[in-house]
Amino acid sequence: MSSSLSCETMAIKRRKTKVIKIGNVSIGWHYPIAVQSMAKTHTKNISRTLKQIKSAQEEGVHLIRVAVKDKQDAHAIGEIRANIDIPLIADIHFDYRLALLAIASGADKIRLNPGNIYKEKEISQIASSAKERGIPIRVGVNSGSLSRGSAKGASGLVKSALNFVKMLEKLKFYDIVISLKSSNLLETVEANRQIASKVNYPLHLGVTATGLAEVGYIKSAICLGMLLADGIGDTIRISLTADPAQEVRAAKRILAALDIGNAIDVIACPTCGRCEVDLIHIVKDLEKEIKTFSPSLDVGQEPLRVALMGCVVNGPGEAKCADLGLAFGRDYGLFFKKGKPVKKVQQDKAAKFLIAEIKKCYLKSGGNDA
Ligand code: SF4
C-alpha cells in the first residue's frame, strides 16, 4: 500500500427523529443505533429460542425479535421475556389477534406487516392495546407483501408504509417505527431516503433475503452503509441465512466501520513482499481473542480501531487512524498509537501485549471485562 488512511474525522450527522422507547432501549435521533436480530427457532420451543437469544446477547445484540405464528408462540412471549434482559419484539403476520395476545404476554414492541394486516378495525384494536401497555408498533413493509393498491418499487414501499402510518395517526397512535425492506439494494436505499424526507419516525434498516453470510455481509454493508452514512437509520438488522449471533457480529462491524458503532474494529494491511510475519494467522488469533471479552460493550461506546500491519516501514503511517496497533519487524512487533511508535516488543509476545493494551482502553471506556 502506498497511501495513508486519512484521519480527518467525518462525523455522520444523524437524522433528527422522534425518540421511541422499546423496553429499556431508546432509539432515534441522538440515541445510539441499536442492533437487532431475530431468533430462527419456533418461538414456542422456549428453551431453544432462549438459547439462541442468549448467543445473540453474547455478541451484544440490543433488541431481539421472534416470530409469532400461532397462539402457542404468543403465549411463549411471557416466559421468554421473563428470562432475558433485552427488549423482545413480536413479529406478526396475517392474524391481528396474535398481536393482541403477544402484547398481553409482555412483548416490548410489535412488528406488523401492512401487506397482510390492514383492516382499520383490527389495527384500531392493536393500537389501543399497545397504547395501554405503552409499547411501540413497527410498520414493517416488505417488497414481497405490499399493501393493496400500492405500486411496485421504492414508491410502493413508501406508499404502503405511509398509508398504515396515517391510519395509526388517525387513531392517535404515534409510537411508531418504520422499516422498508426489499431484496433489491437500490430499491431499499431509495425507499428509505424517500420516507426519511416525509416523516420523522425512527427507521429500522435491513435488506431482506440476502443469502448466506458471505454474500449477505456484502449486500448489507453496501445498502446499510449508504443509508447510515447519510444519517438515516436508528436500528439495524443484518438478515442472513445464518444464526443470529452472526447477524449481530456483522451489524456491529458495519457500525464500527462507519465509526458509529461500539465494536472493536480490527484493521489489517493486505500484506505484500515487505511483510515480515504470517499476518493472516496473527489477525485471526487476535479476532478470536477479542471475541472473548468484547461483545458486551455497552450501547453508545465509541469504537476502538486496532491495526495489525505487516511491516514497520509503512505500517505505522498507513494505520495512523487506528487508536493502537502493531507493525511487525523481522523479530519484533512495534507497538504504536495513532501512528506514533511507543515500544518494541519481542515478536512472540507482541500479540499478548496488544491484547493487554486493548483491554486497558476498553476498560477505561467503560467496557465489561466479564
Ligand atoms: Fe503496507 Fe507494509 Fe503491509 Fe506491505 S507489509 S501492505 S507495505 S504495511
Side-chain angles (χ1 to χ4, degrees):
M1 289 191 300
S2 54
S3 65
S4 305
L5 293 166
S6 164
C7 284
E8 204 179 312
T9 312
M10 304 255 305
I12 289 172
K13 197 165 176 271
R14 298 271 306 278
R15 167 178 161 257
K16 193 170 173 181
T17 72
K18 192 173 164 32
V19 170
I20 297 289
K21 220 160 180 268
I22 307 161
N24 57 0
V25 174
S26 294
I27 61 158
W29 193 16
H30 58 276
Y31 280 94
I33 295 165
V35 172
Q36 186 175 145
S37 186
M38 187 164 182
K40 282 120 198 257
T41 51
H42 293 300
T43 304
K44 60 181 85 54
N45 187 334
I46 295 173
S47 60
R48 283 198 66 206
T49 304
L50 277 172
K51 201 171 162 209
Q52 214 171 60
I53 294 176
K54 302 263 174 186
S55 76
Q57 268 193 279
E58 279 165 21
E59 296 295 338
V61 75
H62 306 128
L63 304 164
I64 193 82
R65 184 156 47 113
V66 291
V68 175
K69 63 175 193 191
D70 55 32
K71 281 185 187 172
Q72 281 173 292
D73 285 343
H75 288 305
I77 294 266
E79 192 174 333
I80 294 169
R81 184 64 188 90
N83 283 286
I84 58 174
D85 52 12
I86 54 171
L88 183 63
I89 303 163
D91 194 73
I92 316 284
H93 293 252
F94 297 103
D95 189 346
Y96 81 103
R97 290 165 301 185
L98 294 177
L100 299 177
L101 269 180
I103 294 170
S105 295
D108 296 289
K109 180 180 161 203
I110 296 290
R111 180 268 166 128
L112 299 176
N113 182 341
N116 52 45
I117 293 182
Y118 45 79
K119 291 185 183 147
E120 198 166 337
K121 218 167 139 193
E122 297 177 358
I123 295 163
S124 163
Q125 285 190 56
I126 300 171
S128 100
S129 187
K131 202 186 243 179
E132 213 170 281
R133 281 231 18 251
I135 67 165
I137 293 174
R138 165 152 72 94
V139 180
V141 184
N142 272 2
S143 57
S145 55
L146 296 176
S147 63
R148 290 171 173 196
S150 295
K152 286 210 164 101
S155 55
L157 287 164
V158 173
K159 191 175 170 215
S160 204
L162 288 180
N163 288 345
F164 203 95
V165 166
K166 269 186 207 140
M167 224 188 292
L168 289 173
E169 287 175 336
K170 205 169 118 195
L171 296 162
K172 302 205 177 330
F173 189 93
Y174 306 102
D175 226 358
I176 299 168
V177 180
I178 301 172
S179 67
L180 307 179
K181 297 186 184 181
S182 161
S183 52
N184 180 302
L185 308 190
L186 294 179
E187 189 173 287
T188 306
V189 171
E190 177 57 22
N192 278 283
R193 282 182 177 155
Q194 281 186 24
I195 198 108
S197 68
K198 291 180 193 300
V199 293
N200 76 340
Y201 295 112
L203 298 180
H204 166 69
L205 303 184
V207 185
T208 57
T210 59
L212 295 174
E214 201 178 324
V215 180
Y217 287 159
I218 296 168
K219 289 183 183 171
S220 301
I222 292 170
C223 182
L224 271 57
M226 287 170 82
L227 290 164
L228 292 167
D230 279 352
I232 296 171
D234 305 285
T235 71
I236 63 168
R237 181 202 172 189
I238 310 304
S239 304
L240 299 174
T241 313
D243 61 63
Q246 254 177 292
E247 295 191 351
V248 180
R249 279 201 290 280
K252 295 189 94 175
R253 278 170 186 254
I254 290 172
L255 294 176
L258 287 164
D259 271 345
I260 44 178
N262 50 11
I264 294 173
D265 187 22
V266 177
I267 59 170
C269 80
T271 77
C272 70
R274 291 187 191 88
C275 187
E276 299 285 2
V277 285
D278 181 356
L279 198 67
I280 296 174
H281 277 104
I282 293 175
V283 175
K284 280 187 181 164
D285 287 349
L286 185 82
E287 292 263 15
K288 214 188 283 171
E289 182 64 28
I290 284 174
K291 197 173 164 291
T292 63
F293 65 89
S294 71
S296 50
L297 283 162
D298 287 334
V299 177
Q301 275 182 231
E302 295 290 311
L304 184 73
R305 188 154 287 165
V306 179
L308 287 169
M309 310 299 279
C311 75
V312 285
V313 190
N314 295 330
E318 286 179 0
K320 67 181 178 205
C321 290
D323 297 291
L324 57 165
L326 281 175
F328 289 94
R330 190 156 301 161
D331 53 6
Y332 65 93
L334 178 67
F335 175 65
F336 61 87
K337 286 186 172 176
K338 301 273 183 200
K340 293 211 172 71
V342 177
K343 186 183 163 106
K344 276 188 184 176
V345 189
Q346 204 179 298
Q347 199 181 88
D348 56 349
K349 297 198 170 107
K352 214 169 175 189
F353 179 85
L354 182 63
I355 289 285
E357 290 295 320
I358 294 170
K359 283 188 178 174
K360 273 190 215 162
C361 296
Y362 177 56
L363 294 174
K364 216 190 298 167
S365 61
N368 180 357
D369 199 23

